[in-house]
């Protein structure tokens, strides 16, 4: 994929993050792309659904539905924020070979672990992703703490 493709698909992920924020949730969006075709989009909907596991990446994969392993193994996952271990584990389980990350300055825990499993990571350092997460952390710190399994 080209950097233009990465920018285009990250834009879709960012749109999902904004929708999640506007709904009162956590502003993290994701897109699953297979050979240039968008298979699914998702956003963190833990708040909206009262869920323990619907992070942006897991929501996206749930929205993709059941797919053959070969599809996952030739897809790219776009996410506005560096994945937590739960989302990273899902990517490792399905052997998604590449993850494009909008930003990792506000949160980053799993990147070395993902690389150790052979997953290629591309970090875009998208300032819009950073600003949205900084706003989240400032305005809704208790919700952010809950989302990453910490005490407020």
């Amino acid at each position: 994929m080209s950097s233009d493709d990465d920018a285009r698909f990250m834009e879709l992920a960012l749109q999902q993050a904004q929708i999640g924020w506007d709904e009162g949730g956590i502003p993290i969006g994701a897109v699953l792309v297979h050979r240039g075709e968008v298979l699914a989009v998702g956003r963190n909907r833990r708040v909206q659904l009262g869920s323990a596991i619907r992070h942006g990446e897991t929501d996206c994969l749930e929205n993709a539905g059941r797919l053959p392993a070969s599809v996952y193994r030739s897809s790219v996952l776009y996410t506005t924020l560096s994945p937590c271990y739960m989302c990273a584990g899902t990517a490792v389980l399905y052997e998604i070979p590449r993850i494009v990350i909008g930003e990792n300055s506000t949160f980053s825990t799993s990147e070395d672990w993902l690389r150790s499993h052979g997953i290629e990571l591309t970090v875009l350092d998208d300032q819009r992703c950073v600003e949205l997460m900084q706003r989240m952390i400032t305005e809704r710190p208790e919700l952010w703490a809950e989302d990453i399994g910490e005490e407020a």
Side-chain angles (χ1 to χ4, degrees), residues 33-96:
V33 176
H34 181 255
R35 298 183 179 154
E37 177 186 343
V38 174
L39 297 179
V41 299
R43 62 189 172 276
N44 186 307
R45 296 194 303 157
R46 289 186 65 252
V47 173
Q48 299 91 315
L49 298 177
S51 170
I53 61 170
R54 288 302 274 270
H55 283 192
E57 300 89 338
T58 55
D59 186 61
C60 179
L61 293 172
E62 177 69 16
N63 292 338
R66 293 176 58 197
L67 298 171
S70 61
V71 172
Y72 291 114
R73 292 177 183 149
S74 57
S75 293
V76 179
L77 181 62
Y78 291 81
T79 178
T80 57
L81 185 66
S82 186
C84 71
Y85 279 110
M86 177 177 65
C87 296
T90 304
V92 168
L93 174 70
Y94 289 109
E95 298 181 30
I96 296 171

Side-chain angles (χ1 to χ4, degrees), residues 106-122:
T106 58
F107 181 80
S108 177
T109 61
S110 69
E111 291 179 19
D112 289 339
W113 186 76
L114 284 163
R115 285 186 191 97
S116 77
H117 284 84
I119 295 178
E120 175 190 345
L121 302 180
T122 302

